[in-house]
Amino acid sequence: MALKGLIRVTGLCVYHMKYTSVVTSNRALATTVSCRYSCTKLPAEIQQQSQENMTLVSNLEIMGVDITMARMRQPGVLKRMITHEESLAKFLLSKGASKQTIANIVSRYPRAITRTHEHLHKKWEIWQSILKTDSDILKIVERSPESFFRSENIENLEENIIFLSSLGLTPKDLSRLLAKAPRTFSNRTELNKQIVDFLKDVYLCLGGETPQDFVRHIISKNIFLLIRSTKRLKANIDFLQSALQLTDRELLVFIQGHGAEILDLCHNYIKKNFANAQQKLLSIGCSEAEITRCIISCPSMLYLSHLNFVTKIDILVEAGINSHQILERPRVLDVSVDTIKGRIKDLADIDYDYQALGISILELSKSRFEARFKKLRDSK
């Protein structure tokens, strides 16, 4: 019984065993038992922390890094014996980052501390050839640390820049790609080439004659295409052609225009939102043909969640706006719910007549709306 009790104690308390003196005649046996049970009885978190480089953890804590977050994101980094947290901090400080910014970057992407000063300097130079200023680069690094620190392959980065430039993308296009879809540059060059080849094949199959121009044009329209799978893009293109009943020629015109904006969306999301939008618009008296034309002219409505879409339609209808007016000015659905509500309230105060004056006022920019509203109010 005494031995069983000792096994239970050592199983639960082995983490502190080296600091505890057990006064017993069976000291040697107790040590053997504790070793045997340490792997199975230790809580996972304690086991993990016991394997970490405590000097590194201490250094990161001094820097203000959220160790809990870092441990959750990339636990293996905290076990490394060789890291470069000090040179990373010095490098980012020299580029204008604050200590808090550096702590946030490492908390969210701990692997950043594994990059050498030489690597950081070289990659920064390459990014600077596109973005020009340290502050522009720093904004991206702060927003998406993974985009800068993820890949060690400098050669791949340079190859991607050469490849994307060969497509005819301008420095402005490359800047947008780096700012909003930086993973494009850390992807394997072959992966980017696969996406480009797929887009060219789609274009040629639909009867196009200048695939290089098409690729440049569609990527400049939607910079997220290069970080999506060909499977998703194909599924979306096939669905849109079927749902909108487009000929090959019509589909080509559509995806070269506003249709390009939605090709990167999750396939199930597009299908679900299409069905929801169709159902809601039918319920307020729109025909299927009218709905199709509306979506073709303003595919961005498929970005909206079901609740968001329904709420906006209901607000407009309750204000006395009819379905045909909504279909004629579908961009009004791009305006936020709160903005629509506020504008409708303001216009109600001056007895604005939507039937006579239209609803285009609702989709104006803030400054233009205020100027137009002031003019209408003063004319009363």
Side-chain angles (χ1 to χ4, degrees):
M1 291 298 291
L3 178 58
K4 289 182 179 179
L6 182 57
I7 290 174
R8 286 197 294 271
V9 171
T10 54
L12 292 171
C13 304
V14 67
Y15 181 70
H16 303 287
M17 183 61 73
K18 65 179 181 177
Y19 302 106
T20 304
S21 175
V22 181
V23 182
T24 175
S25 60
N26 293 320
R27 188 187 302 266
L29 178 59
T31 303
T32 302
V33 172
S34 68
C35 291
R36 182 185 303 165
Y37 280 79
S38 62
C39 293
T40 57
K41 293 293 185 178
L42 276 177
E45 185 177 353
I46 293 177
Q47 278 189 322
Q48 183 182 52
Q49 293 180 33
S50 68
Q51 297 170 5
E52 290 174 356
N53 179 346
M54 299 313 295
T55 301
L56 169 60
V57 171
S58 178
N59 287 344
L60 296 180
E61 286 177 335
I62 293 171
M63 289 172 61
V65 173
D66 184 333
I67 299 299
T68 300
M69 181 186 292
R71 187 176 289 130
M72 182 174 61
R73 295 289 178 92
Q74 294 166 347
V77 173
L78 301 181
K79 301 175 185 178
R80 296 203 178 196
M81 293 296 108
I82 300 176
T83 52
H84 309 282
E85 61 275 10
E86 291 183 8
S87 64
L88 170 69
K90 289 179 181 178
F91 180 82
L92 292 177
L93 283 170
S94 72
K95 300 303 180 183
S98 67
K99 291 182 179 180
Q100 183 60 53
T101 294
I102 297 169
N104 289 339
I105 288 171
V106 177
S107 299
R108 292 162 55 206
Y109 199 77
R111 199 174 299 160
I113 66 174
T114 66
R115 305 307 183 214
T116 65
H117 181 274
E118 292 74 17
H119 173 86
L120 296 175
H121 180 72
K122 180 62 176 176
K123 181 172 281 190
W124 199 276
E125 277 190 334
I126 295 173
W127 276 40
Q128 202 167 45
S129 69
I130 298 173
L131 293 177
K132 307 305 179 187
T133 69
D134 288 342
S135 60
D136 287 338
I137 300 174
L138 200 56
K139 287 176 185 176
I140 300 174
V141 175
E142 185 175 2
R143 185 177 70 245
S144 176
E146 180 182 4
S147 64
F148 187 81
F149 297 106
R150 178 184 178 211
S151 175
E152 289 184 282
N153 196 332
I154 295 292
E155 183 179 341
N156 183 73
L157 171 60
E158 293 175 318
E159 287 177 357
N160 271 323
I161 291 174
I162 293 171
F163 171 66
L164 294 170
S165 298
S166 74
L167 299 177
L169 294 175
T170 65
K172 183 178 179 180
D173 292 328
L174 294 178
S175 295
R176 289 175 59 234
L177 274 169
L178 200 50
K180 296 184 178 181
R183 205 176 77 205
T184 304
F185 295 88
S186 59
N187 280 346
R188 289 182 297 105
T189 308
E190 285 304 314
L191 182 59
N192 286 332
K193 288 180 178 179
Q194 287 175 20
I195 301 292
V196 168
D197 288 343
F198 167 78
L199 292 172
K200 287 181 178 180
D201 288 344
V202 167
Y203 177 75
L204 292 172
C205 287
L206 294 177
E209 298 177 352
T210 54
Q212 186 84 353
D213 291 342
F214 169 74
V215 168
R216 175 185 52 77
H217 179 75
I218 197 171
I219 291 176
S220 65
K221 281 273 189 180
N222 187 340
I223 59 175
F224 300 103
L225 294 179
L226 288 172
I227 57 175
R228 304 301 183 220
S229 68
T230 55
K231 181 180 178 180
R232 174 186 292 195
L233 299 181
K234 184 179 187 307
N236 286 344
I237 291 171
D238 290 345
F239 170 75
L240 290 169
Q241 180 170 27
S242 173
L244 298 174
Q245 300 179 16
L246 301 173
T247 65
D248 286 355
R249 184 62 188 170
E250 290 169 337
L251 177 62
L252 188 56
V253 172
F254 178 65
I255 62 177
Q256 286 185 106
H258 295 307
E261 301 169 9
I262 62 171
L263 293 184
D264 67 299
L265 292 179
C266 172
H267 180 58
N268 288 335
Y269 189 79
I270 282 187
K271 289 178 64 177
K272 182 179 179 180
N273 286 358
F274 184 94
N276 290 335
Q278 189 176 50
Q279 181 182 23
K280 182 60 180 177
L281 292 173
L282 285 171
S283 74
I284 62 171
C286 303
S287 69
E288 289 191 4
E290 288 175 324
I291 295 169
T292 297
R293 287 197 298 272
C294 181
I295 294 175
I296 291 173
S297 67
C298 185
S300 61
M301 70 170 61
L302 298 183
Y303 272 110
L304 302 177
S305 68
H306 176 57
L307 178 61
N308 199 343
F309 184 85
V310 168
T311 300
K312 289 179 181 180
I313 295 294
D314 288 342
I315 291 170
L316 294 170
V317 171
E318 287 171 8
I321 297 168
N322 64 48
S323 61
H324 297 294
Q325 288 178 297
I326 296 172
L327 293 180
E328 288 172 2
R329 308 293 305 194
R331 290 288 175 185
V332 72
L333 298 173
D334 290 340
V335 182
S336 73
V337 169
D338 288 342
T339 299
I340 292 176
K341 284 182 177 179
R343 291 182 177 183
I344 286 176
K345 182 179 182 301
D346 289 341
L347 293 171
D349 291 340
I350 60 172
D351 297 321
Y352 185 86
D353 187 347
Y354 295 106
Q355 305 308 315
L357 301 174
I359 69 170
S360 61
I361 189 172
L362 294 174
E363 61 183 86
L364 296 177
S365 66
K366 181 180 178 180
S367 59
R368 293 183 63 194
F369 173 81
E370 290 174 348
R372 177 80 180 278
F373 177 74
K374 182 178 184 299
K375 185 176 181 180
L376 288 168
R377 185 184 58 197
D378 293 345
S379 67
K380 291 293 183 178

